[in-house]
Amino acid sequence: MADVKKKEQEDAGLIVSRLAAQDTVPWYRKPNLRYIYLMFFPTCIGVEMTSGFDSSMMNGLQAVASWQEFYNHPKTALLGLMSAIYSAGAIVSLPFVPLITDGLGRRWAIFIGSVIMVVGAIIQTLAKNFAMFVIARFILGLGIPMCIIAASSLIGELGHPKERAILGSLFNSCYFIGAIVAAGVTLGTFSMPNDWGWRIPSVLQVVPSIMQICFVFFLPESPRWLISKGRGEEAFEVLVKYHAEGDRESEFVKAEYVQIETTLELEKETAKVGWTDLLKTPGMRRRLLIGSFLGLATQWSGNGLLSYFLAKVLDNVGITSYRTKNIINLGNTCWGLVNATILALTVSRFPRRRMYLACTISLLLVFTGWTIAQARYIIDGSQSASHAVLVFLFLYSPCYNMAFNALTYTFLVELFPFHVRAKGISIFQWFSRMAGFFNQFVNPIGIDNAGWKYYISYCVFLAFEVAFVFFLFPETHGRSLEELAFLYENDESQEQKKRVQEEVRHEDNGSSDVKSTTNPTAEKTA
């Protein structure tokens, strides 16, 4: 009796996390789970390869003579427009992304976004003039947020709770796979005497999107999306197959299904699914503020200089050889992949807020050192200062990847409840793309006109980031998505815990009516 009472008093919000922690069998020994994790790479996780390829390609093309000659050596505003128009396309498409992601499902959103990007890459390859190149990049931008939002949501909603954070971290680290390929290709084509020196990198941009088109429907749909559409039986089958390897009596899957279903019911009771949900309550407004901040921070932390304008940064420290620039671009990108992958596999084990603090503080220190070294080179032409800038460029990568790369999508999926998750990530993307558009348009102008003094603005914003994270970031580590659905809403959280506890306890006692809820096929089988 005492044991029963103790079980009833147990914090029901931790049931799924507790059961997941008790599962000691690694994912690679589970055939069904292993299948979806491997299938994630050419589909969901591979989405970021497209982003990486684009930024590295634009970096590399600035050091390709045939591209420079074809477009009459674009500088300042024209060069900024060629890069920034990609973000402009994303900004235009973002209001429509949740309609497709929530309406048609995560897989269809990835498919549609990938088709749009293939069209853009083909037009870019066939570009005959500046206008055609810019239009192609705008079309590419239309497709990328649809893929990113749907893929990051599907990873978080389909992955097993034990590996969800690591999968979300690997999502961003795949950026560097695409970036390395692009850097290697431009290094190999920069000396070609004809237009294929830049058309070859352009046509290869279709490869990640074609992979997503070919493989995305080999993945199951998000069980949370299925339940939200009244397709609970299908959702239960997905959870049974991939989270319990076909064991229909799995206590973990029954608890997970009840927790998802109960949470979605509570969300529907307290909200109509619309954009106004993001402003409806203090908790939602705080989520919106944090998501918006992350969108700005992931672009305004100085990474835009390295992602799109490394060639100009190197010019300002006396490195002007096209070959040397491409080698540095490739080397820095390879280093980014190494440290991003290591960090993706490790930092998700630590508290999120602590890692974001470490990230922002280290970035502030590195960027301040970079700015000082850049100033010393401009003032007295010191070669040691030039070398110091290169050191800081390579130090910057692990500092940024520590949280902004490794944790951002994991954190966003944890931060926003299901019914506003696509919208919340869309808001993040909107602020990110707006900040990226501003960066890509203004950076070449700022570097040319203000030199090293332009970098001071980044130092100031990085100091603001440290303060924002310290005072406003919540801790989301170590809990399931459903436990986090009412992160700021204590009353709803207690109601959720109560319902889940009752449902799972009744299931343990063999309650027939609850059994039909936790196992949607029970009634049909009977």
Side-chain angles (χ1 to χ4, degrees):
M1 188 69 178
D3 290 340
V4 173
K5 191 169 183 179
K6 181 179 179 181
K7 183 178 181 182
E8 290 176 350
Q9 293 172 339
E10 183 180 0
D11 184 359
L14 298 177
I15 290 175
V16 172
S17 298
R18 174 175 57 81
L19 293 175
Q22 291 174 358
D23 180 3
T24 58
V25 180
W27 65 269
Y28 51 83
R29 291 185 179 175
K30 301 176 180 179
N32 294 336
L33 192 61
R34 183 173 67 232
Y35 167 81
I36 58 169
Y37 285 177
L38 294 177
M39 196 57 65
F40 273 159
F41 276 89
T43 54
C44 298
I45 294 178
V47 164
E48 275 296 295
M49 291 190 291
T50 310
S51 298
F53 192 100
D54 183 82
S55 63
S56 185
M57 182 194 72
M58 286 303 297
N59 237 340
L61 290 183
Q62 294 172 56
V64 174
S66 61
W67 185 85
Q68 291 281 4
E69 292 170 7
F70 190 89
Y71 292 106
N72 298 316
H73 299 269
K75 295 180 180 178
T76 58
L78 289 180
L79 179 59
L81 178 62
M82 297 176 89
S83 297
I85 199 67
Y86 182 80
S87 293
I91 292 166
V92 170
S93 73
L94 278 169
F96 308 100
V97 171
L99 299 176
I100 297 172
T101 305
D102 291 338
L104 299 180
R106 309 325 194 190
R107 297 181 302 172
W108 271 107
I110 295 171
F111 180 85
I112 294 170
S114 298
V115 169
I116 293 172
M117 296 197 73
V118 168
V119 172
I122 292 173
I123 295 174
Q124 181 176 271
T125 303
L126 301 175
K128 300 296 183 183
N129 49 48
F130 177 86
M132 192 171 176
F133 188 85
V134 168
I135 291 171
R137 292 191 53 71
F138 180 83
I139 294 172
L140 283 164
L142 289 173
I144 189 62
M146 198 176 303
C147 295
I148 289 176
I149 292 167
S152 59
S153 298
L154 187 57
I155 289 171
E157 294 166 4
L158 189 58
H160 193 286
K162 284 174 58 181
E163 291 89 26
R164 188 192 71 238
I166 293 177
L167 291 169
S169 298
L170 287 173
F171 176 71
N172 256 357
S173 68
C174 279
Y175 171 98
F176 292 98
I177 297 176
I180 287 172
V181 173
V185 170
T186 53
L187 177 61
T189 65
F190 84 95
S191 60
M192 293 178 68
N194 53 48
D195 292 346
W196 285 107
W198 62 270
R199 293 189 190 276
I200 288 175
S202 293
V203 74
L204 289 178
Q205 195 164 1
V206 305
V207 174
S209 296
I210 289 177
M211 289 171 60
Q212 289 143 33
I213 291 169
C214 292
F215 292 104
V216 70
F217 289 107
F218 286 93
L219 282 174
E221 185 53 86
S222 161
R224 288 165 177 83
W225 182 84
L226 291 170
I227 292 174
S228 74
K229 298 300 180 181
R231 295 159 62 180
E233 181 176 327
E234 294 176 56
F236 187 78
E237 293 301 329
V238 169
L239 292 173
V240 166
K241 182 174 181 179
Y242 296 105
H243 288 188
E245 294 299 308
D247 180 10
R248 302 180 63 81
E249 300 305 316
S250 167
E251 183 183 1
F252 169 72
V253 164
K254 292 174 182 178
E256 188 178 25
Y257 181 89
V258 167
Q259 193 178 51
I260 294 171
E261 185 180 54
T262 303
T263 302
L264 293 181
E265 287 176 359
L266 283 168
E267 289 178 12
K268 287 179 180 179
E269 290 171 9
T270 58
K272 293 181 180 179
V273 181
W275 287 98
T276 55
D277 279 1
L278 296 172
L279 297 171
K280 195 170 184 179
T281 64
M284 281 299 179
R285 289 193 290 272
R286 186 170 177 181
R287 290 183 177 95
L288 177 62
L289 179 64
I290 293 169
S292 304
F293 163 81
L294 274 174
L296 297 177
T298 53
Q299 296 297 323
W300 281 358
S301 298
N303 51 307
L305 295 172
L306 299 180
S307 298
Y308 282 91
F309 301 107
L310 178 60
K312 294 189 73 66
V313 170
L314 295 176
D315 281 336
N316 286 346
V317 290
I319 299 172
T320 57
S321 164
Y322 282 165
R323 177 176 174 80
T324 303
K325 289 178 184 177
N326 274 297
I327 289 174
I328 292 173
N329 184 33
L330 178 59
N332 191 43
T333 307
C334 290
W335 164 233
L337 174 64
V338 171
N339 68 66
T341 303
I342 293 172
L343 289 166
L345 296 172
T346 54
V347 298
S348 59
R349 304 173 189 274
F350 299 98
R352 313 289 189 241
R353 183 175 175 277
R354 186 182 303 170
M355 297 313 301
Y356 272 108
L357 277 173
C359 170
T360 52
I361 291 170
S362 61
L363 280 176
L364 176 60
L365 295 175
V366 167
F367 211 90
T368 301
W370 175 3
T371 303
I372 293 171
Q374 183 85 48
R376 293 312 310 165
Y377 177 82
I378 297 298
I379 293 169
D380 56 27
S382 167
Q383 286 302 307
S384 60
S386 175
H387 297 155
V389 169
L390 286 179
V391 171
F392 283 120
L393 293 183
F394 279 81
L395 284 175
Y396 180 92
S397 179
C399 295
Y400 181 89
N401 292 337
M402 187 188 308
F404 286 140
N405 186 284
L407 289 179
T408 294
Y409 283 101
T410 298
F411 185 66
L412 286 168
V413 169
E414 293 172 345
L415 184 67
F416 288 101
F418 174 83
H419 76 285
V420 293
R421 184 165 295 141
K423 292 179 176 65
I425 299 176
S426 294
I427 291 292
F428 159 80
Q429 277 281 313
W430 191 86
F431 276 90
S432 176
R433 298 300 174 177
M434 286 292 290
F437 179 86
F438 178 86
N439 267 354
Q440 292 155 17
F441 190 77
V442 172
N443 275 341
I445 300 173
I447 293 171
D448 282 348
N449 294 338
W452 68 269
K453 295 178 182 178
Y454 178 66
Y455 297 174
I456 295 175
S457 62
Y458 284 109
C459 295
V460 173
F461 191 77
L462 283 166
F464 166 73
E465 288 180 11
V466 175
F468 190 101
V469 171
F470 182 82
F471 288 107
L472 290 175
F473 265 42
E475 185 53 70
T476 61
H477 175 65
R479 288 183 279 177
S480 73
L481 295 184
E482 280 60 51
E483 290 160 23
L484 292 166
F486 302 108
L487 180 64
Y488 299 117
E489 295 83 7
N490 290 331
D491 292 342
E492 288 88 347
S493 180
Q494 292 304 317
E495 177 65 19
Q496 179 214 38
K497 291 177 181 180
K498 180 181 177 182
R499 290 195 191 184
V500 173
Q501 183 185 39
E502 290 175 354
E503 296 282 11
V504 174
R505 185 172 69 251
H506 289 169
E507 176 63 30
D508 288 341
N509 293 335
S511 175
S512 59
D513 56 332
V514 176
K515 188 171 184 177
S516 65
T517 302
T518 57
N519 183 346
T521 62
E523 186 176 323
K524 184 177 289 187
T525 303

